[in-house]
Amino acid sequence: MSRAIQLAKRGRYTCDPNPRVGCVVSRDNQIISEGWHALAGEAHAEINALNDCNDASGSTVYLTLEPCSHHGRTPPCVEALINMKVADVIIAMVDPNPLVAGSGIEKLENAGISVKQGLLELEAQKLNPGFIKRMTQHLPHTRCKMAMSLDGRTALANGESQWISSELSRRDVHRLRAASSAVLTSVETLIKDDASLNARNLDIEFKQAARVIVDRTLKTPDQAKIFSISGQIIIYTEVDNDERIHALEKLGAEVVYLAKTDSWLNDVFMHLANEFEINEILVEAGSTFSGALIEKGLIDELIVYMAPVLLGNDANPLVKLKQLEKLSEAKQLEIIDVRQIGKDLRFTLTL
Ligand code: AOF
Ligand code: ZN
């Protein structure tokens, strides 16, 4: 199963919006073939593995996800496993997709195949935090990326901010963009940085993430650099201004109007999950917008690059949050990973 998990990771940058899945077929404790899911619409992991061996009858199949039992973009994998007369199937986790959710296991068992479930389940869940959250909560898994100085600052008081972190950290961010379904920012950041938000200069195959702008009042400028780079652009607004919407659509954006509510940002994230199949979001915005998302409970993970520089106490903070009255109200985070990237340190934290 540990090998199947390694194989699943090969789909990291390409199989979105489908889950990353790996498969190992073994007989007499020897691996006879392997497969993983590379592209949505193309063969699932087990089909690739079954196609890669002459005869899978009587074999034991290790799968990081329950095989599908429904007709999606591809036919059900359980039928292929049954037709191949495999003897046992060992599954790390049940498919959270309500179209499957246990029915794959049931069909295998009804066909006389022995099924065991739960081996390395936690590791398998870590492969697909976004797919699981979208299927179970109708929300994407959201990471918020930030770069700060040793003294926790992001920009000088005069706004000068670019390139606090090193070249290697910036390349790492491009990998994060490539592994995401969407890169999301606020219109304020878009105007300030004129960022293109796409992944580039990478020596891997990847699917370009959708670029999402949260623009309540439709002030995205027509000249924004983002429009000069092809790929999906989605703009969320709470003003129903036909003329402006039409102009942005002509520039290549999909504009989504969602009526103003108290939970508007939550509505945006839910819309991204339900209507655009967005599993994983990378937020790259300034301290105000990132702070607002944290306050609303919409951030699952922070990814913080810390550069060994000091910017001084007039510089801007990492994140703007409501002022606390008591230390006991402070947000507690957990560091789940720390590594050195060039001259910088990268922290991954869960909220
Ligand atoms: C599997 N093996 O490798 C993957 C599965 O539209 P389709 O046909 O590609 O089906 C997508 C759904 O199939 C996806 O939502 C998830 O439930 C399951 N993914 N299943 O047996 C795989 N990637
Ligand atoms: Zn399948």
Side-chain angles (χ1 to χ4, degrees), residues 18-19 21 36-37 40-46 63 65-68 70-75 77 95 97 100 131 135:
N18 276 354
V21 181
W36 67 93
H37 184 50
E42 293 188 6
H44 286 178
E46 48 278 65
L63 263 172
L65 186 75
E66 173 187 10
C68 65
H70 69 302
H71 285 267
R73 283 164 279 232
T74 63
C77 293
D95 188 343
N97 183 347
V100 185
F131 180 77
M135 288 297 157

Side-chain angles (χ1 to χ4, degrees), residues 69-100:
S69 49
H70 69 302
H71 285 267
R73 283 164 279 232
T74 63
C77 293
V78 284
E79 280 175 13
L81 291 162
I82 293 167
N83 293 340
M84 287 287 178
K85 300 190 168 41
V86 308
D88 308 270
V89 176
I90 300 176
I91 294 164
M93 64 175 284
V94 171
D95 188 343
N97 183 347
L99 294 172
V100 185

Side-chain angles (χ1 to χ4, degrees), residues 31-52:
I31 292 181
I32 56 172
S33 71
E34 302 181 328
W36 67 93
H37 184 50
L39 277 179
E42 293 188 6
H44 286 178
E46 48 278 65
I47 304 303
N48 286 327
L50 292 173
N51 286 344
D52 198 36

Side-chain angles (χ1 to χ4, degrees), residues 22-252:
C23 175
V24 166
V25 182
S26 81
R27 190 185 284 119
D28 305 325
N29 289 322
Q30 298 281 327
I31 292 181
I32 56 172
S33 71
E34 302 181 328
W36 67 93
H37 184 50
L39 277 179
E42 293 188 6
H44 286 178
E46 48 278 65
I47 304 303
N48 286 327
L50 292 173
N51 286 344
D52 198 36
C53 60
N54 295 329
D55 175 19
S57 61
S59 65
T60 300
V61 177
Y62 293 83
L63 263 172
T64 60
L65 186 75
E66 173 187 10
C68 65
S69 49
H70 69 302
H71 285 267
R73 283 164 279 232
T74 63
C77 293
V78 284
E79 280 175 13
L81 291 162
I82 293 167
N83 293 340
M84 287 287 178
K85 300 190 168 41
V86 308
D88 308 270
V89 176
I90 300 176
I91 294 164
M93 64 175 284
V94 171
D95 188 343
N97 183 347
L99 294 172
V100 185
S103 68
I105 294 178
E106 202 180 301
K107 285 195 175 144
L108 292 174
E109 283 175 339
N110 289 345
I113 296 171
S114 136
V115 182
K116 290 200 184 85
Q117 187 256 314
L119 183 60
L120 295 186
E121 185 164 11
L122 272 177
E123 283 75 0
Q125 287 168 350
K126 282 192 211 147
L127 292 167
N128 295 302
F131 180 77
I132 296 170
K133 195 168 171 192
R134 173 163 72 90
M135 288 297 157
T136 56
Q137 299 178 47
H138 303 287
L139 280 168
H141 178 88
T142 304
R143 302 182 173 93
C144 182
K145 166 249 146 182
M146 296 160 165
M148 69 173 193
S149 62
L150 177 63
D151 50 348
R153 308 285 160 164
T154 57
L156 294 185
N158 67 16
E160 193 184 340
S161 68
Q162 289 204 320
W163 317 140
I164 289 179
S165 52
S166 68
E167 170 68 32
L168 279 173
S169 292
R170 295 202 295 277
R171 194 175 312 161
D172 193 60
V173 171
H174 282 275
R175 290 184 85 91
L176 279 177
R177 287 181 180 175
S180 305
S181 324
V183 178
L184 180 146
T185 195
S186 68
V187 70
E188 287 77 18
T189 306
L190 185 88
I191 291 172
K192 187 169 146 287
D193 296 347
D194 202 17
S196 28
L197 299 179
N198 62 341
R200 49 192 188 274
N201 304 330
L202 293 172
D203 52 3
I204 46 167
E205 262 186 66
F206 63 95
K207 177 178 176 252
Q208 197 66 255
R211 289 162 293 162
V212 181
I213 310 165
V214 176
D215 181 4
R216 290 176 189 261
T217 58
L218 286 182
K219 59 182 182 187
T220 299
D222 290 1
Q223 303 75 22
K225 191 157 89 193
I226 198 166
F227 295 121
S228 66
I229 295 149
S230 65
Q232 190 177 21
I233 299 172
I234 307 167
I235 299 177
Y236 280 94
T237 179
E238 57 183 29
V239 294
D240 196 4
N241 176 342
D242 278 349
E243 196 185 327
R244 203 56 213 124
I245 290 176
H246 197 67
L248 291 165
E249 283 173 346
K250 266 182 97 174
L251 288 164

Side-chain angles (χ1 to χ4, degrees), residues 226-294:
I226 198 166
F227 295 121
S228 66
I229 295 149
S230 65
Q232 190 177 21
I233 299 172
I234 307 167
I235 299 177
Y236 280 94
T237 179
E238 57 183 29
V239 294
D240 196 4
N241 176 342
D242 278 349
E243 196 185 327
R244 203 56 213 124
I245 290 176
H246 197 67
L248 291 165
E249 283 173 346
K250 266 182 97 174
L251 288 164
E254 290 168 72
V255 183
V256 181
Y257 159 71
L258 293 180
K260 189 173 179 172
T261 62
D262 289 344
S263 59
W264 192 78
L265 283 172
N266 196 77
D267 298 347
V268 166
F269 278 51
M270 205 163 245
H271 192 273
L272 283 166
N274 290 338
E275 305 301 325
F276 290 103
E277 298 186 300
I278 298 295
N279 289 334
E280 297 180 18
I281 294 183
L282 182 68
V283 174
E284 295 192 52
S287 53
T288 308
F289 187 69
S290 300
L293 293 177
I294 292 172

Side-chain angles (χ1 to χ4, degrees), residues 300-302 333-339 347-350:
D300 298 289
E301 255 177 54
L302 291 188
L333 287 77
E334 189 186 347
I335 299 176
I336 56 166
D337 186 77
V338 185
R339 62 189 68 193
F347 296 86
T348 306
L349 308 103
T350 51

